Amino acid sequence: MSEALISARGLTKRYGDFTAVDAIDFDVAKGESFGLLGPNGAGKSTTMRIIAATSQRTSGTITILGRDPEEHGPQIRAHLGVVPQQDNLDTELTVTENLFIYGRYFGLGKRFIRTKIEELLEFAQLEEKRDVKVDALSGGMKRRLTIARALVSEPDILMLDEPTTGLDPQARHILWDRLFRLKELGVTLVITTHFMDEAEQLCDRLVVMDKGKIMAEGSPLELIKTYSTKEVLEVRFGSDRNKEIAPTLRAMCSRMEELPDRILMYVEDGEALLEEILNKKLHPTTSLVRRSSLEDVFLRLTGRTLIE
Amino acid sequence: MNSGINVAKVRSIGAIYVAEARMSAMLKWKGIIAIVAIGNPLFYLVAIGIGVGVLVSENSGTSGTGGVEYITFIAPALLASAAITGALDEAMFPVMEGFKWRKLFYAMNATPITGPQIALGVFIAALARVAFTVICYWAVLIAFGVMSVEQSWDVIPVTIFAAGAFAAIIMGITAKVKNDDYFMTVLGRLIIMPMFLFSGTFFPLNTMPIYLQPIGWISPLWHATELGRHFSYGYSISAQMLVIHFAFLLALLICGFALANRTFTTRLTK
């Protein structure tokens, strides 16, 4: 691994009796796109706030850009771009005013910021909205503006907390495209998400978090290889019959998960298994063969689905 | 690393950047702020000064107001209350927005800007709004011949100082507020409104029963009004009371900042 921009050991954050982040270790290398995947309440956002040098850890160590955030908060924050879960733009101001004001907080010169704004408006595809009040923007545009705002200082690390939660599919794809471009430009990304497709699209490497702990770590492909099979067969027999048929199915595959509405069967060849089931005259009402995803990894590791 | 980033500069003048942002937002309301700043004194002058003033002078002359016209008596009080209302607007709403409604302070704090700098920036912007209000109000009073320029110019800095002290304490208290459902109703109706009525605004505080007078003593508005009267038409205050008025307001300012600095930091770094 090349130079680590972020390095955490035994990182812990407690709020009273509740342990939000429980002794986690991780490193993020320069130019890497690193993901924190997990359900709501897994400790992702808390971890993000500690990396962002705003929230103070309870114990453990962490260095960001080689510094301890407890002692060098402002110096670290000067080189981070932060996109919070909830957009916190100044909705009374226009698109360009938001970018300009934010640039000032980094002590950047007015001329530099003005030039940068033109570049960012193009990047965020907001040129036509430059003098529009933020209030009037769509959810996707606000999100892109928040990202553009985080880039005004040309940060060494861009941190995105649930970048596409709450956006419609089209807005998500536009955003992914923009983020992918940043990745290509070599910007180090730290992303939290509870969408496995997002993690697969954007992350070179990720950690799966649950209840404040890291359950697994690797590239999306590695994780799938390690914790799941190549394919998954999803079958539905109707909620009454699922239970009755489950024992028969269990004998037919290496691993099986019974969800409230469907049964997931983990195999190397889904089509072959489906044929076998049909040959046994067990007629599922619906069936689907698909590739394993991070959702399956998560289910395997925690026994729960990501979005419940 | 972006070499244009200047952490040292932000450390020294970060609060100015925050104030700039606040004032950009305020400028969006410039029409309303100006109408309030000029309309408010006009309405009060006509309604209270002329309407109530005639009633007072017909019944008791100037005996109840220490020998001056009723309008002269209440003008500095109205000026102080307008300044304090402006201070309340600019200290309470931005703090609620910053922490709760739009979480703007969290965005600021994601940069090298620190909590105390945000508090100071909000304060500077509030002071600018107060200064604008006070100067407009004073100009209207001068235009109507209620005060004279030579005798009353020093009421401007004194009133701005008093309203600033009020802004600081409101900022400190508002930063503590987690649930805003009751806060603003209680503050507005049970604290600000009685303060307006029982601070010697419309009649001298000492004409009230002694058990109601303490409301005035702890009211920043009363201290501001007494100072305003002293500096606008020479209402006489003992040197001792003068010190007490200034000291009380200064204490509010210091406590307000102590509270704000601590609360801003802990709330942002939780």
Side-chain angles (χ1 to χ4, degrees):
Chain A
M1 193 186 284
S2 62
E3 178 197 351
L5 293 190
I6 307 171
S7 183
R9 292 292 174 271
L11 186 66
T12 302
K13 174 77 181 184
R14 280 190 212 97
Y15 295 102
D17 290 340
F18 175 69
T19 306
V21 176
D22 196 355
I24 62 171
D25 302 342
F26 63 87
D27 292 287
V28 180
K30 193 173 177 184
E32 188 178 29
S33 176
F34 179 77
L36 298 153
L37 179 74
N40 292 329
K44 309 184 301 281
S45 296
T46 307
T47 307
M48 285 294 257
R49 281 200 299 274
I50 297 171
I51 301 173
T54 45
S55 186
Q56 307 259 333
R57 65 186 182 267
T58 310
S59 61
T61 62
I62 183 166
T63 57
I64 301 134
L65 303 166
R67 288 175 150 143
D68 183 336
E70 220 140 281
E71 283 154 44
H72 303 283
Q75 288 92 329
I76 293 169
R77 296 200 299 271
H79 300 284
L80 302 180
V82 177
V83 179
Q85 211 173 100
Q86 195 188 349
D87 291 324
N88 50 18
L89 297 159
D90 196 329
T91 47
E92 280 175 359
L93 302 183
T94 65
V95 168
T96 42
E97 284 169 337
N98 262 282
L99 295 172
F100 186 80
I101 276 169
Y102 215 67
R104 300 286 282 163
Y105 294 151
F106 292 89
L108 294 165
K110 289 181 180 174
R111 197 185 301 160
F112 173 88
I113 303 172
R114 291 211 178 91
T115 317
K116 193 76 200 168
I117 284 175
E118 297 309 313
E119 199 182 297
L120 291 171
L121 288 174
E122 194 202 328
F123 171 79
Q125 296 163 319
L126 288 169
E127 291 118 312
E128 280 157 32
K129 303 284 179 186
R130 55 185 309 141
D131 296 319
V132 172
K133 258 194 188 186
V134 169
D135 248 342
L137 299 183
S138 72
M141 289 176 185
K142 280 183 190 156
R143 210 72 190 127
R144 296 205 300 275
L145 178 58
T146 307
I147 293 171
R149 187 183 68 175
L151 292 170
V152 75
S153 56
E154 297 179 346
D156 292 352
I157 305 170
L158 180 65
M159 313 203 8
L160 303 126
D161 196 356
E162 308 259 347
T164 66
T165 297
L167 296 186
D168 62 58
Q170 197 199 351
R172 288 182 82 192
H173 280 282
I174 296 175
L175 205 64
W176 282 350
D177 169 64
R178 299 293 91 182
L179 294 176
F180 205 79
R181 239 188 51 204
L182 290 175
K183 201 161 115 62
E184 283 177 335
L185 291 169
V187 178
T188 306
L189 302 178
V190 180
I191 302 167
T192 77
T193 181
H194 60 250
F195 296 121
M196 64 271 164
D197 50 350
E198 187 158 285
E200 287 187 39
Q201 288 248 0
L202 296 174
C203 303
D204 300 325
R205 197 165 58 85
L206 51 93
V207 291
V208 178
M209 284 187 80
D210 188 38
K211 293 175 183 153
K213 288 201 166 73
I214 290 178
M215 312 293 291
E217 181 189 336
S219 72
L221 214 63
E222 280 167 9
L223 286 169
I224 292 168
K225 264 191 183 154
T226 314
Y227 296 99
S228 192
T229 50
K230 194 171 154 219
E231 292 189 338
V232 186
L233 171 63
E234 294 195 7
V235 283
R236 284 185 166 89
F237 293 91
S239 41
D240 307 333
R241 287 188 64 212
N242 278 353
K243 216 174 200 81
E244 180 190 320
I245 295 171
T248 321
L249 299 182
R250 196 175 297 274
M252 298 168 74
C253 57
S254 56
R255 188 165 78 86
M256 194 184 88
E257 295 281 351
E258 270 184 82
L259 299 182
D261 61 329
R262 67 210 139 109
I263 295 171
L264 307 182
M265 303 176 73
Y266 293 90
V267 284
E268 289 305 303
D269 187 345
E271 289 295 346
L273 178 64
L274 181 59
E275 223 174 290
E276 211 181 310
I277 290 172
L278 293 174
N279 286 341
K280 291 197 174 186
K281 304 273 186 269
L282 300 167
H283 295 290
T285 47
T286 66
S287 62
L288 167 75
V289 175
R290 59 169 176 83
R291 289 178 48 213
S292 271
S293 72
L294 288 171
E295 176 84 53
D296 301 297
V297 173
F298 189 78
L299 192 62
R300 167 79 185 273
L301 290 169
T302 68
R304 291 181 298 122
T305 51
L306 266 169
I307 306 162
E308 289 181 316
Chain B
M1 289 207 175
N2 181 351
S3 56
I5 291 172
N6 193 336
V7 182
K9 192 172 159 197
V10 177
R11 184 180 293 144
S12 54
I13 63 164
I16 301 288
Y17 297 142
V18 175
E20 269 178 18
R22 276 297 312 139
M23 283 191 258
S24 309
M26 243 185 250
L27 282 176
K28 304 280 168 180
W29 302 89
K30 56 180 181 274
I32 292 168
I33 290 175
I35 288 168
V36 171
I38 297 165
N40 182 327
L42 285 179
F43 291 145
Y44 271 107
L45 281 179
V46 173
I48 310 282
I50 301 174
V52 181
V54 168
L55 193 70
V56 171
S57 61
E58 277 183 1
N59 286 291
S60 58
T62 58
S63 62
T65 52
V68 294
E69 291 288 330
Y70 187 62
I71 185 80
T72 308
F73 173 77
I74 64 158
L78 294 177
L79 177 71
S81 85
I84 277 178
T85 311
L88 178 70
D89 277 354
E90 299 305 338
M92 185 175 68
F93 291 109
V95 174
M96 286 310 305
E97 282 190 321
F99 282 118
K100 187 141 190 215
W101 299 335
R102 292 188 288 151
K103 303 200 181 290
L104 300 178
F105 292 168
Y106 294 91
M108 293 174 184
N109 190 231
T111 73
I113 299 279
T114 64
Q117 286 180 322
I118 298 172
L120 183 57
V122 168
F123 177 79
I124 292 170
L127 219 52
R129 157 84 190 273
V130 165
F132 176 75
T133 301
V134 168
I135 290 167
C136 286
Y137 213 117
W138 181 77
V140 171
L141 294 173
I142 295 296
F144 277 72
V146 178
M147 292 181 183
S148 76
V149 177
E150 307 79 50
Q151 204 186 3
S152 73
W153 66 270
D154 42 7
V155 81
I156 295 176
V158 169
T159 308
I160 293 172
F161 166 70
F166 182 72
I169 197 76
I170 288 292
M171 189 170 72
I173 294 167
T174 310
K176 283 263 176 206
V177 175
K178 298 263 158 63
N179 187 343
D180 53 311
D181 290 351
Y182 302 108
F183 173 66
M184 279 184 293
T185 315
V186 170
L187 187 72
R189 300 199 183 149
L190 294 176
I191 296 178
I192 303 298
M193 191 62 191
M195 184 176 92
F196 189 52
L197 295 174
F198 297 101
S199 294
T201 314
F202 300 106
F203 42 83
L205 188 65
N206 58 21
T207 58
M208 298 243 291
I210 186 69
Y211 57 86
L212 281 179
Q213 290 189 24
I215 302 179
W217 301 341
I218 58 159
S219 153
L221 181 57
W222 179 64
H223 296 277
T225 297
E226 290 289 288
L227 288 173
R229 286 188 177 129
H230 177 72
F231 286 101
S232 67
Y233 66 84
Y235 163 75
S236 93
I237 301 180
S238 67
Q240 198 184 3
M241 278 312 288
L242 208 58
V243 170
I244 290 175
H245 290 314
F246 275 115
F248 180 86
L249 293 168
L250 188 65
L252 280 188
L253 186 76
I254 293 168
C255 292
F257 264 99
L259 190 61
N261 284 345
R262 213 184 59 198
T263 316
F264 272 56
T265 303
T266 51
R267 217 169 154 176
L268 289 168
T269 59
K270 201 172 58 158

